[in-house]
Amino acid sequence: MTTGLIPGEQPPDPRPTSGVPHQRHEPVGHGALHVENRSRSSVITARAAASFEPVGRSVATARSFVRDTLQGWGFADIVDDAVVLTSELVTNAVVHAGTSADVLCLRSDEGVRIEVADRYPEREIPLQGPAVTMGSLDREGGRGLQLCAALAARWGVEYAPTHKQVWFQLELPERAVGTRAAGPSLPADLLPLADSRVRVAVVQIDRSGAITSWNEDAEELFGYAADLVIGKPLTDLAAWPHTPGTGTGIAEALQLSRWEGSYGIRGANGRVTSVYASHLRVRDTGGEPSTVCLLVRDHERAVLQTPLRVPAGDTTTSSDGQSTDPFEVFIGSPAPDDLDGLLQRTVERARDMLDGDSAFLLLATDDETELEVRASTGLPSARQRFARVPVEAGPGRYGSARMPAVHDDLTAVPGAVPLLSGTGMRSVVTVPLKVEGRLTGSLGVAAEAPGRYSNEEALRLQFAADRIALAVESARLGELERLRRGSLSFLVEASDLLAGTLDRDQTLALMAQMTVPTLATWCAVYTIADQASEPYLSYVLHEDEELIDGIKSLLSKVLPPDPVPTPGARVWTAPGEAAHQAALRSSMRSLGLSGGPTHQIASGIGPTLATASAVGGETVVLPLVARNRVIGMLTLGKPTDEHFRQEILELAEDLSRRAALALDNARLYSERTAISQSLQRSLLPPELPEIDGVEVEVIYRAAGEGNEVGGDFYDVFPISDGAYGFAIGDVCGTGPNAAAVTGLARHALRLLAREGLSGPAVLERLNSAILDEGARSRFLTLLYGELWPQEDGSARLKVVCAGHPLPLRLRQDGTVEPAAEPQPLLGVMEDLELYEQTVTLDPGDVLLCVTDGVTERREGTRMLGDDGLADVLTTCTGLTAGAVAARIMRAVERFASDAPSDDMAILAMRVPGLHTD
């Protein structure tokens, strides 16, 4: 291990001065002191040192220091590796260890040695034993040493009581100093083919695209004399290739600051000559722009073509003899399903490689029309994540993400890179990520200073993008597959939940609970009653329940979104704008700037700063369309500066279609249920009359879910002064058809009884009315009677029992007996001979009338029957009418465990005894 310091000299002062790294540069002659632990043939010719304080910004400053130092020494070929290694080691010191870092650069005739020291020494050093594993590339810890092992010619670590020092040495390539690019010596038969004289056509194009200069080589290559083409547009001669998916043409290419590529020129003989061109946009002393085009035959492109920068050696060999991808070492080796980790490491390494202040990576949507921000560093990521920008930013400038681009100064071209608007970045280089010719993403690096990047950096970044594009696309497809599987499961579960209810309010609650927080931070559901109604805010949900009331208040002050039936999500800016204004007003009130003291603020639920922040992000609206009608809108929102990813919006669109149908079904069910209930209630008597001297109680149960009225019915009504009619009947069957006959019978009884007809006459008229219904007629059993309370406390009754279960009379002594005789039922024969029977109820007596749903209650082969009913009634002596009816119903329900399958009606009338009055 070596100290990295020249003997006899003091170590560099680690203390920073005013936040600026302390630097020292010393040229050292050939007589410099010899360093024993370094290579014996190494002679130090120059040195530079700097110290950096423990803040995150120091990492970028250290990269700039090393880059400027090595470029000043003429070692541009090893700058990239030196910057990457220095960035990792300084990060470990100032970020992870939290100490200052000292960087020392030493130049020798063999290369460059860089030493990085920190003030957090590691004391536990394995002196002997098996080789120590430095860790996995997946871990942040230890990667700096792994990079040293992968990139440096030699490296080492020195531990001291007060500091730890890591050094590495990079050797210079074996070629002349100052050479930008060089190739190997090749046999003559492998050299590019060219004519005996290579001709380079020089063509200059003015601002309008017209040719202003045409040299002799251009005349030879294309056959046009200068006076024939000067003043004509180059587009008249150029045969531009039509590349699918690329919007850049010859006119646009001539407006670019730099361009290099192939196209054709139509010669004077009518043939197209394939040329390789290099364009450079310049301006004269008067500020007039023009483009200089250098053209050679396409097979002679080596004359102009910028050679691709390929790192020395594509692979390295690990200690176990296996080949290692250097770019994998560069970004680490994240798990195959860790797309976010892969993207984040890529942008961080790209930023370090080009010594940028920020970097970003965007992935293309499936239709390749938009790019979605997935990773960034040095930018407000919370604001940018999942933001979308168009692939083609528009004609007239280099605005396509499908090709590399270098912008020297973004202030000169506002909006050229929308992602960087308002970030303070001035220069930027972007390159596409492509797999098999298809655009899959875009990688960019930006700096705060203008003019930082050139085509050379674009080539280096493109090389990195090409190496990582396939891995990114593979990880993206894996993530997309997992998301789609999860989406399918989510939609299946959502469909089951929505199909499990027909209640409108519950459907609204389910819609909101399924979207929050799975798809959005908050949501609001607007409903539309009919086409003439305005959208109504029906439900609001936020993952933080304390913010729900505030969001309701905020949305109530905003006009609802337009009910547009166009499918898909559309951005709704009104809540965000309202949130911004609310936050501004809240801040001004808190500072007492709203005019008047702050205690005069109106009370109540208002949009607080927290509420404004909750709805201040991206808000989208999806229409709820069912049966070709917009029945509402589903609004999804994110908190401040957050965006929705495209896959989430597609999932939300699928959910909105299912939710719309479920909501409309619930609406139709609610409407029909309300209509049914209203009609059914009209078939039942509104209320029982108060009869002096007689207690009356009724219990009614209709069979079937949602039915309030079935085939059984009852009625108690006044006929004339002192006389009351009562009836209990059973129409054959259950449900709406039986209920229709029920309504006919009940209303006909009242009408005929009040006409003064006797009981038999009333039933005979009703029988005729039922038969007149024809195919809709139903059999009807009916017990009809008339009641007159007597002055002595008894009650006199006249009863007609037409096919109905006989009424039972309970005396005070507990005996039970039928109170009438059976007669033919109604709705069968036209000519009926009915008669009425007179019954007197003494004080304490009870008359019990039931339908066959009570007596025919079954449990297996057992049936309650008339005898079972009589047995229960004998236990009701002394009970009120209400208690008698309740005990009978309780006995019927307990007789069998199954739900009743038939309608049931119980009518109990009791004459109170003298001792209870």
Side-chain angles (χ1 to χ4, degrees):
M1 301 299 176
T2 63
T3 62
L5 297 176
I6 299 177
E9 294 188 359
Q10 296 296 325
D13 186 2
R15 294 171 297 179
T17 304
S18 301
V20 179
H22 178 72
Q23 304 182 17
R24 294 195 301 272
H25 294 265
E26 282 186 39
V28 182
H30 291 285
L33 293 174
H34 175 69
V35 180
E36 181 179 0
N37 288 333
R38 297 194 178 97
S39 175
R40 293 188 177 180
S41 61
S42 175
V43 177
I44 304 301
T45 58
R47 61 172 288 171
S51 295
F52 303 93
E53 56 188 10
V55 294
R57 183 62 183 169
S58 295
V59 179
T61 309
R63 290 198 300 266
S64 299
F65 164 67
V66 171
R67 180 178 294 278
D68 294 342
T69 299
L70 298 190
Q71 287 179 341
W73 289 348
F75 294 161
D77 296 288
I78 61 174
V79 164
D80 292 340
D81 291 345
V83 167
V84 169
L85 295 177
T86 303
S87 178
E88 285 290 338
L89 298 178
V90 174
T91 299
N92 290 339
V94 302
V95 176
H96 300 308
T99 73
S100 60
D102 304 328
V103 179
L104 175 64
C105 300
L106 301 173
R107 184 183 70 185
S108 70
D109 53 357
E110 287 189 346
V112 172
R113 175 188 175 100
I114 298 179
E115 301 173 353
V116 179
D118 62 42
R119 305 294 173 176
Y120 191 80
E122 174 61 56
R123 303 309 303 273
E124 309 230 352
I125 310 299
L127 300 179
Q128 299 181 18
V132 179
T133 301
M134 290 182 291
S136 168
L137 290 174
D138 297 332
R139 299 176 58 251
E140 288 293 336
R143 189 180 296 137
L145 301 182
Q146 288 184 328
L147 287 174
C148 289
L151 302 179
R154 291 189 295 275
W155 66 280
V157 184
E158 179 182 280
Y159 297 93
T162 59
H163 69 280
K164 179 184 69 178
Q165 178 176 279
V166 181
W167 63 270
F168 61 87
Q169 183 163 329
L170 302 174
E171 296 182 351
L172 297 177
E174 296 181 358
R175 65 189 187 203
V177 175
T179 302
R180 181 169 182 230
S185 298
L186 296 176
D189 58 346
L190 297 181
L191 296 175
L193 181 64
D195 292 343
S196 57
R197 176 187 171 190
V198 176
R199 297 185 181 275
V200 180
V202 180
V203 182
Q204 193 159 1
I205 312 299
D206 65 10
R207 179 196 295 268
S208 65
I211 299 172
T212 60
S213 177
W214 186 268
N215 72 345
E216 294 180 359
D217 281 354
E219 295 181 4
E220 278 300 317
L221 286 175
F222 310 121
Y224 298 106
D227 57 349
L228 295 178
V229 295
I230 290 178
K232 294 184 177 180
L234 180 63
T235 54
D236 292 349
L237 306 180
W240 189 261
H242 297 285
T243 304
T246 302
T248 305
I250 181 64
E252 286 79 10
L254 293 174
Q255 300 299 316
L256 305 179
S257 60
R258 290 174 294 272
W259 187 88
E260 190 173 316
S262 300
Y263 53 91
I265 297 292
R266 296 182 182 88
N269 58 6
R271 296 181 179 179
V272 174
T273 301
S274 296
V275 298
Y276 191 84
S278 177
H279 297 177
L280 177 66
R281 190 126 170 106
V282 297
R283 59 175 176 156
D284 58 22
T285 55
E288 186 67 19
S290 62
T291 303
V292 177
C293 305
L294 304 183
L295 312 174
V296 297
R297 294 183 179 90
D298 193 62
H299 64 274
E300 298 170 343
R301 63 169 57 198
V303 175
L304 299 179
Q305 187 175 23
T306 302
L308 294 177
R309 179 185 175 90
V310 180
D314 287 341
T315 59
T316 58
T317 303
S318 61
S319 59
D320 58 0
Q322 295 182 348
S323 177
T324 303
D325 188 339
F327 196 64
E328 182 177 303
V329 175
F330 174 67
I331 64 165
S333 178
D337 58 349
D338 184 14
L339 177 60
D340 290 335
L342 174 62
L343 301 183
Q344 193 60 36
R345 292 181 186 182
T346 298
V347 296
E348 291 172 357
R349 301 305 182 260
R351 176 202 61 192
D352 296 346
M353 183 177 71
L354 298 188
D355 193 21
D357 297 308
S358 64
F360 51 88
L361 194 151
L362 303 87
L363 295 183
T365 55
D366 289 340
D367 57 3
E368 296 183 24
T369 59
E370 289 185 313
L371 295 167
E372 190 175 66
V373 180
R374 290 300 302 271
S376 64
T377 181
L379 296 174
S381 57
R383 177 172 66 90
Q384 303 291 353
R385 186 165 171 79
F386 297 123
R388 291 174 295 280
V389 296
V391 170
E392 306 289 348
R397 62 179 176 82
Y398 199 40
S400 175
R402 302 181 188 276
M403 302 178 68
V406 178
H407 294 279
D408 292 329
D409 194 347
L410 292 178
T411 60
V413 191
V417 184
L419 185 65
L420 300 179
S421 298
T423 62
M425 300 298 157
R426 296 284 297 276
S427 54
V428 61
V429 52
T430 60
V431 297
L433 276 70
K434 292 186 176 182
V435 175
E436 297 180 351
R438 183 174 59 86
L439 179 70
T440 60
S442 178
L443 176 63
V445 178
E448 295 176 353
R452 285 282 296 276
Y453 303 115
S454 64
N455 283 346
E456 176 70 14
E457 283 77 13
L459 289 173
R460 290 162 53 201
L461 191 61
Q462 185 66 70
F463 171 77
D466 292 341
R467 299 297 296 274
I468 197 62
L470 186 58
V472 169
E473 180 65 3
S474 177
R476 186 188 74 87
L477 291 177
E479 179 193 70
L480 186 60
E481 179 62 23
R482 290 189 298 274
L483 180 61
R484 285 175 176 170
R485 287 199 301 267
S487 300
L488 182 60
S489 176
F490 172 78
L491 291 174
V492 169
E493 182 179 356
S495 298
D496 289 342
L497 290 173
L498 291 171
T501 179
L502 287 173
D503 182 81
R504 176 182 177 277
D505 294 337
Q506 189 174 0
T507 301
L508 290 172
L510 284 174
M511 289 171 57
Q513 292 166 7
M514 285 185 293
T515 56
V516 176
T518 305
L519 305 182
T521 305
W522 64 273
C523 83
V525 183
Y526 289 85
T527 56
I528 303 175
D530 52 62
Q531 295 183 355
S533 302
E534 292 294 325
Y536 174 74
L537 182 61
S538 299
Y539 202 91
V540 175
L541 183 65
H542 190 281
E543 60 183 8
D544 184 354
E545 295 182 356
E546 295 182 355
L547 298 177
I548 294 177
D549 291 336
I551 294 177
K552 285 182 180 178
S553 176
L554 182 67
L555 293 179
S556 66
K557 296 177 175 61
V558 178
L559 291 176
D562 296 329
V564 179
T566 306
R570 70 182 191 275
V571 177
W572 186 30
T573 59
E577 294 172 355
H580 176 74
Q581 295 297 326
L584 181 61
R585 289 193 298 269
S586 297
S587 299
M588 294 181 64
R589 286 196 299 264
S590 65
L591 297 174
L593 301 178
S594 57
T598 57
H599 66 270
Q600 295 180 356
I601 301 174
S603 60
I605 298 176
T608 63
L609 288 175
T611 302
S613 177
V615 300
E618 187 175 38
T619 303
V620 297
V621 177
L622 297 104
L624 298 175
V625 181
R627 299 176 175 89
N628 298 322
R629 186 174 73 87
V630 181
I631 63 171
M633 286 86 69
L634 176 63
T635 302
L636 306 180
K638 288 282 189 179
T640 299
D641 296 335
E642 288 195 19
H643 299 264
F644 288 97
R645 58 186 303 179
Q646 188 64 32
E647 293 83 359
I648 294 298
L649 294 179
E650 293 172 358
L651 179 58
E653 185 178 355
D654 286 340
L655 176 64
S656 68
R657 288 194 291 266
R658 289 165 170 80
L661 187 59
L663 184 61
D664 198 46
N665 289 339
R667 177 187 63 82
L668 293 174
Y669 179 78
S670 298
E671 291 179 355
R672 294 182 181 181
T673 299
I675 294 173
S676 174
Q677 291 175 346
S678 177
L679 292 176
Q680 290 185 65
R681 292 190 187 104
S682 68
L683 302 178
L684 295 175
E687 59 184 6
L688 297 177
E690 294 286 342
I691 302 177
D692 293 336
V694 178
E695 298 175 359
V696 179
E697 183 64 32
V698 173
I699 295 180
Y700 184 82
R701 297 285 188 273
E705 183 179 358
N707 291 331
E708 293 189 20
V709 177
D712 291 4
F713 69 95
Y714 69 91
D715 199 3
V716 179
F717 56 91
I719 297 176
S720 60
D721 292 341
Y724 295 87
F726 65 91
I728 184 169
D730 184 2
V731 178
C732 178
T734 60
N737 293 330
V741 179
T742 295
L744 171 65
R746 193 178 70 80
H747 292 292
L749 284 176
R750 285 198 173 206
L751 179 64
L752 294 173
R754 287 171 178 172
E755 290 294 325
L757 299 176
S758 64
V762 169
L763 268 60
E764 290 170 0
R765 299 280 185 94
L766 176 59
N767 180 64
S768 299
I770 294 174
L771 292 176
D772 290 342
E773 290 292 309
R776 295 182 299 176
S777 65
R778 296 279 178 132
F779 302 152
L780 172 64
T781 67
L782 179 64
L783 172 66
Y784 173 74
E786 297 177 356
L787 177 147
W788 290 269
Q790 302 299 309
E791 295 181 358
D792 60 357
S794 63
R796 183 167 61 88
L797 292 81
K798 291 184 178 181
V799 181
V800 180
C801 186
H804 199 77
L806 298 179
L808 298 179
R809 176 181 180 180
L810 172 65
R811 296 183 180 274
Q812 273 194 317
D813 59 4
T815 59
V816 175
E817 60 184 9
E821 298 177 353
Q823 301 184 58
L825 74 167
L826 307 182
V828 179
M829 299 178 294
E830 293 185 1
D831 296 328
L832 291 178
E833 294 183 2
L834 302 176
Y835 58 90
E836 60 185 9
Q837 297 174 269
T838 301
V839 179
T840 300
L841 297 181
D842 297 326
D845 288 355
V846 175
L847 183 70
L848 177 66
C849 309
V850 300
T851 59
D852 59 5
V854 175
T855 57
E856 294 179 0
R857 176 71 164 153
R858 295 180 180 274
E859 175 69 19
T861 59
R862 297 186 308 117
M863 185 172 71
L864 180 62
D866 295 334
D867 294 337
L869 179 62
D871 291 341
V872 176
L873 185 59
T874 57
T875 66
C876 298
T877 304
L879 298 180
T880 64
V884 170
R887 178 169 292 186
I888 298 297
M889 178 56 71
R890 188 162 55 251
V892 172
E893 291 175 343
R894 291 177 177 178
F895 186 81
S897 59
D898 296 337
S901 59
D902 196 4
D903 304 329
M904 291 187 295
I906 299 174
L907 171 61
M909 294 185 291
R910 176 178 179 271
V911 179
L914 297 176
H915 62 281
T916 60
D917 293 340

